[in-house]
PDB file of all heavy atoms in Angstrom:
ATOM      1  N   THR A 234      -4.819 -25.281  13.772  1.00 95.00           N
ATOM      2  CA  THR A 234      -3.708 -24.523  14.384  1.00 95.00           C
ATOM      3  C   THR A 234      -3.563 -23.091  13.886  1.00 95.00           C
ATOM      4  O   THR A 234      -3.024 -22.244  14.574  1.00 95.00           O
ATOM      5  CB  THR A 234      -2.382 -25.253  14.071  1.00 95.00           C
ATOM      6  OG1 THR A 234      -2.299 -25.407  12.632  1.00 95.00           O
ATOM      7  CG2 THR A 234      -2.329 -26.623  14.721  1.00 95.00           C
ATOM      8  N   ARG A 235      -4.014 -22.812  12.660  1.00 95.00           N
ATOM      9  CA  ARG A 235      -3.646 -21.549  12.028  1.00 95.00           C
ATOM     10  C   ARG A 235      -4.072 -20.303  12.802  1.00 95.00           C
ATOM     11  O   ARG A 235      -3.311 -19.346  12.900  1.00 95.00           O
ATOM     12  CB  ARG A 235      -4.164 -21.487  10.604  1.00 95.00           C
ATOM     13  CG  ARG A 235      -5.669 -21.403  10.500  1.00 95.00           C
ATOM     14  CD  ARG A 235      -6.130 -21.414   9.050  1.00 95.00           C
ATOM     15  NE  ARG A 235      -7.579 -21.484   9.013  1.00 95.00           N
ATOM     16  CZ  ARG A 235      -8.274 -22.023   8.015  1.00 95.00           C
ATOM     17  NH1 ARG A 235      -7.643 -22.537   6.966  1.00 95.00           N
ATOM     18  NH2 ARG A 235      -9.590 -22.058   8.054  1.00 95.00           N
ATOM     19  N   ASP A 236      -5.247 -20.333  13.403  1.00 95.00           N
ATOM     20  CA  ASP A 236      -5.720 -19.116  14.065  1.00 95.00           C
ATOM     21  C   ASP A 236      -4.789 -18.665  15.183  1.00 95.00           C
ATOM     22  O   ASP A 236      -4.548 -17.481  15.373  1.00 95.00           O
ATOM     23  CB  ASP A 236      -7.120 -19.323  14.634  1.00 95.00           C
ATOM     24  CG  ASP A 236      -8.138 -19.557  13.522  1.00 95.00           C
ATOM     25  OD1 ASP A 236      -7.858 -19.128  12.391  1.00 95.00           O
ATOM     26  OD2 ASP A 236      -9.174 -20.202  13.795  1.00 95.00           O
ATOM     27  N   THR A 237      -4.233 -19.631  15.889  1.00 94.00           N
ATOM     28  CA  THR A 237      -3.349 -19.251  16.997  1.00 94.00           C
ATOM     29  C   THR A 237      -1.898 -19.144  16.531  1.00 94.00           C
ATOM     30  O   THR A 237      -1.040 -18.646  17.247  1.00 94.00           O
ATOM     31  CB  THR A 237      -3.426 -20.293  18.131  1.00 94.00           C
ATOM     32  OG1 THR A 237      -3.278 -21.593  17.533  1.00 94.00           O
ATOM     33  CG2 THR A 237      -4.765 -20.222  18.836  1.00 94.00           C
ATOM     34  N   ALA A 238      -1.627 -19.617  15.334  1.00 96.00           N
ATOM     35  CA  ALA A 238      -0.236 -19.578  14.846  1.00 96.00           C
ATOM     36  C   ALA A 238       0.035 -18.330  14.021  1.00 96.00           C
ATOM     37  O   ALA A 238       1.127 -17.766  14.072  1.00 96.00           O
ATOM     38  CB  ALA A 238       0.052 -20.824  14.009  1.00 96.00           C
ATOM     39  N   VAL A 239      -0.936 -17.908  13.249  1.00 97.00           N
ATOM     40  CA  VAL A 239      -0.727 -16.770  12.357  1.00 97.00           C
ATOM     41  C   VAL A 239      -1.148 -15.463  13.010  1.00 97.00           C
ATOM     42  O   VAL A 239      -2.266 -15.340  13.494  1.00 97.00           O
ATOM     43  CB  VAL A 239      -1.534 -16.964  11.053  1.00 97.00           C
ATOM     44  CG1 VAL A 239      -1.347 -15.764  10.134  1.00 97.00           C
ATOM     45  CG2 VAL A 239      -1.105 -18.249  10.359  1.00 97.00           C
ATOM     46  N   VAL A 240      -0.210 -14.522  13.041  1.00 97.00           N
ATOM     47  CA  VAL A 240      -0.534 -13.190  13.554  1.00 97.00           C
ATOM     48  C   VAL A 240      -0.589 -12.246  12.364  1.00 97.00           C
ATOM     49  O   VAL A 240       0.422 -12.005  11.714  1.00 97.00           O
ATOM     50  CB  VAL A 240       0.546 -12.706  14.545  1.00 97.00           C
ATOM     51  CG1 VAL A 240       0.190 -11.329  15.091  1.00 97.00           C
ATOM     52  CG2 VAL A 240       0.734 -13.721  15.658  1.00 97.00           C
ATOM     53  N   ARG A 241      -1.781 -11.761  12.043  1.00 97.00           N
ATOM     54  CA  ARG A 241      -1.930 -10.889  10.872  1.00 97.00           C
ATOM     55  C   ARG A 241      -1.691  -9.446  11.274  1.00 97.00           C
ATOM     56  O   ARG A 241      -2.457  -8.881  12.049  1.00 97.00           O
ATOM     57  CB  ARG A 241      -3.316 -11.064  10.271  1.00 97.00           C
ATOM     58  CG  ARG A 241      -3.502 -12.428   9.643  1.00 97.00           C
ATOM     59  CD  ARG A 241      -4.928 -12.693   9.201  1.00 97.00           C
ATOM     60  NE  ARG A 241      -4.991 -14.024   8.600  1.00 97.00           N
ATOM     61  CZ  ARG A 241      -4.752 -14.267   7.310  1.00 97.00           C
ATOM     62  NH1 ARG A 241      -4.473 -13.251   6.498  1.00 97.00           N
ATOM     63  NH2 ARG A 241      -4.783 -15.493   6.839  1.00 97.00           N
ATOM     64  N   LEU A 242      -0.631  -8.872  10.730  1.00 98.00           N
ATOM     65  CA  LEU A 242      -0.313  -7.473  11.020  1.00 98.00           C
ATOM     66  C   LEU A 242      -1.080  -6.589  10.058  1.00 98.00           C
ATOM     67  O   LEU A 242      -1.000  -6.772   8.844  1.00 98.00           O
ATOM     68  CB  LEU A 242       1.199  -7.233  10.851  1.00 98.00           C
ATOM     69  CG  LEU A 242       2.134  -8.120  11.672  1.00 98.00           C
ATOM     70  CD1 LEU A 242       3.582  -7.858  11.284  1.00 98.00           C
ATOM     71  CD2 LEU A 242       1.906  -7.889  13.161  1.00 98.00           C
ATOM     72  N   GLU A 243      -1.834  -5.647  10.596  1.00 98.00           N
ATOM     73  CA  GLU A 243      -2.563  -4.722   9.727  1.00 98.00           C
ATOM     74  C   GLU A 243      -2.316  -3.302  10.185  1.00 98.00           C
ATOM     75  O   GLU A 243      -2.478  -2.985  11.368  1.00 98.00           O
ATOM     76  CB  GLU A 243      -4.054  -5.066   9.741  1.00 98.00           C
ATOM     77  CG  GLU A 243      -4.342  -6.433   9.121  1.00 98.00           C
ATOM     78  CD  GLU A 243      -5.824  -6.789   9.188  1.00 98.00           C
ATOM     79  OE1 GLU A 243      -6.650  -6.018   8.658  1.00 98.00           O
ATOM     80  OE2 GLU A 243      -6.147  -7.823   9.804  1.00 98.00           O
ATOM     81  N   HIS A 244      -1.910  -2.491   9.241  1.00 97.00           N
ATOM     82  CA  HIS A 244      -1.542  -1.106   9.564  1.00 97.00           C
ATOM     83  C   HIS A 244      -2.685  -0.376  10.275  1.00 97.00           C
ATOM     84  O   HIS A 244      -3.832  -0.420   9.829  1.00 97.00           O
ATOM     85  CB  HIS A 244      -1.176  -0.348   8.290  1.00 97.00           C
ATOM     86  CG  HIS A 244      -0.780   1.079   8.548  1.00 97.00           C
ATOM     87  ND1 HIS A 244       0.293   1.420   9.343  1.00 97.00           N
ATOM     88  CD2 HIS A 244      -1.310   2.247   8.119  1.00 97.00           C
ATOM     89  CE1 HIS A 244       0.418   2.720   9.390  1.00 97.00           C
ATOM     90  NE2 HIS A 244      -0.558   3.257   8.671  1.00 97.00           N
ATOM     91  N   GLY A 245      -2.337   0.248  11.391  1.00 97.00           N
ATOM     92  CA  GLY A 245      -3.323   1.052  12.108  1.00 97.00           C
ATOM     93  C   GLY A 245      -4.247   0.246  12.998  1.00 97.00           C
ATOM     94  O   GLY A 245      -5.075   0.795  13.708  1.00 97.00           O
ATOM     95  N   LYS A 246      -4.093  -1.074  12.961  1.00 97.00           N
ATOM     96  CA  LYS A 246      -4.964  -1.916  13.803  1.00 97.00           C
ATOM     97  C   LYS A 246      -4.164  -2.506  14.967  1.00 97.00           C
ATOM     98  O   LYS A 246      -2.972  -2.789  14.845  1.00 97.00           O
ATOM     99  CB  LYS A 246      -5.542  -3.066  12.977  1.00 97.00           C
ATOM    100  CG  LYS A 246      -6.442  -2.644  11.830  1.00 97.00           C
ATOM    101  CD  LYS A 246      -7.757  -3.439  11.846  1.00 97.00           C
ATOM    102  CE  LYS A 246      -8.671  -3.063  10.693  1.00 97.00           C
ATOM    103  NZ  LYS A 246      -8.339  -3.811   9.464  1.00 97.00           N
ATOM    104  N   ALA A 247      -4.845  -2.687  16.083  1.00 97.00           N
ATOM    105  CA  ALA A 247      -4.212  -3.365  17.213  1.00 97.00           C
ATOM    106  C   ALA A 247      -3.883  -4.793  16.790  1.00 97.00           C
ATOM    107  O   ALA A 247      -4.630  -5.411  16.030  1.00 97.00           O
ATOM    108  CB  ALA A 247      -5.160  -3.381  18.401  1.00 97.00           C
ATOM    109  N   ILE A 248      -2.764  -5.301  17.258  1.00 97.00           N
ATOM    110  CA  ILE A 248      -2.333  -6.637  16.852  1.00 97.00           C
ATOM    111  C   ILE A 248      -2.997  -7.701  17.712  1.00 97.00           C
ATOM    112  O   ILE A 248      -2.698  -7.836  18.899  1.00 97.00           O
ATOM    113  CB  ILE A 248      -0.801  -6.762  16.952  1.00 97.00           C
ATOM    114  CG1 ILE A 248      -0.139  -5.669  16.098  1.00 97.00           C
ATOM    115  CG2 ILE A 248      -0.348  -8.149  16.506  1.00 97.00           C
ATOM    116  CD1 ILE A 248       1.360  -5.587  16.267  1.00 97.00           C
ATOM    117  N   THR A 249      -3.946  -8.392  17.107  1.00 97.00           N
ATOM    118  CA  THR A 249      -4.615  -9.493  17.818  1.00 97.00           C
ATOM    119  C   THR A 249      -4.651 -10.708  16.913  1.00 97.00           C
ATOM    120  O   THR A 249      -4.507 -10.602  15.704  1.00 97.00           O
ATOM    121  CB  THR A 249      -6.076  -9.123  18.159  1.00 97.00           C
ATOM    122  OG1 THR A 249      -6.783  -8.946  16.914  1.00 97.00           O
ATOM    123  CG2 THR A 249      -6.143  -7.845  18.969  1.00 97.00           C
ATOM    124  N   PHE A 250      -4.825 -11.874  17.537  1.00 97.00           N
ATOM    125  CA  PHE A 250      -4.987 -13.098  16.739  1.00 97.00           C
ATOM    126  C   PHE A 250      -5.778 -14.108  17.565  1.00 97.00           C
ATOM    127  O   PHE A 250      -6.324 -13.764  18.601  1.00 97.00           O
ATOM    128  CB  PHE A 250      -3.641 -13.631  16.271  1.00 97.00           C
ATOM    129  CG  PHE A 250      -2.654 -13.956  17.357  1.00 97.00           C
ATOM    130  CD1 PHE A 250      -2.293 -15.274  17.619  1.00 97.00           C
ATOM    131  CD2 PHE A 250      -2.066 -12.940  18.124  1.00 97.00           C
ATOM    132  CE1 PHE A 250      -1.355 -15.576  18.612  1.00 97.00           C
ATOM    133  CE2 PHE A 250      -1.132 -13.241  19.117  1.00 97.00           C
ATOM    134  CZ  PHE A 250      -0.783 -14.566  19.359  1.00 97.00           C
ATOM    135  N   GLY A 251      -5.843 -15.343  17.047  1.00 95.00           N
ATOM    136  CA  GLY A 251      -6.708 -16.324  17.682  1.00 95.00           C
ATOM    137  C   GLY A 251      -8.053 -16.303  16.969  1.00 95.00           C
ATOM    138  O   GLY A 251      -8.401 -15.324  16.301  1.00 95.00           O
ATOM    139  N   ALA A 252      -8.799 -17.387  17.128  1.00 93.00           N
ATOM    140  CA  ALA A 252     -10.070 -17.548  16.409  1.00 93.00           C
ATOM    141  C   ALA A 252     -10.934 -16.294  16.515  1.00 93.00           C
ATOM    142  O   ALA A 252     -11.424 -15.759  15.538  1.00 93.00           O
ATOM    143  CB  ALA A 252     -10.810 -18.772  16.938  1.00 93.00           C
ATOM    144  N   ASN A 253     -11.069 -15.789  17.719  1.00 93.00           N
ATOM    145  CA  ASN A 253     -11.892 -14.586  17.880  1.00 93.00           C
ATOM    146  C   ASN A 253     -11.065 -13.458  18.460  1.00 93.00           C
ATOM    147  O   ASN A 253     -11.503 -12.732  19.352  1.00 93.00           O
ATOM    148  CB  ASN A 253     -13.089 -14.869  18.770  1.00 93.00           C
ATOM    149  CG  ASN A 253     -13.417 -16.355  18.792  1.00 93.00           C
ATOM    150  OD1 ASN A 253     -13.393 -16.974  17.745  1.00 93.00           O
ATOM    151  ND2 ASN A 253     -13.635 -16.911  19.970  1.00 93.00           N
TER     152      ASN A 253
END
Side-chain angles (χ1 to χ4, degrees):
Chain A
T234 55
R235 68 183 174 208
D236 295 337
T237 49
V239 179
V240 181
R241 292 172 179 272
L242 304 174
E243 294 178 58
H244 180 60
K246 297 229 181 85
I248 303 172
T249 64
F250 58 111
N253 337 317

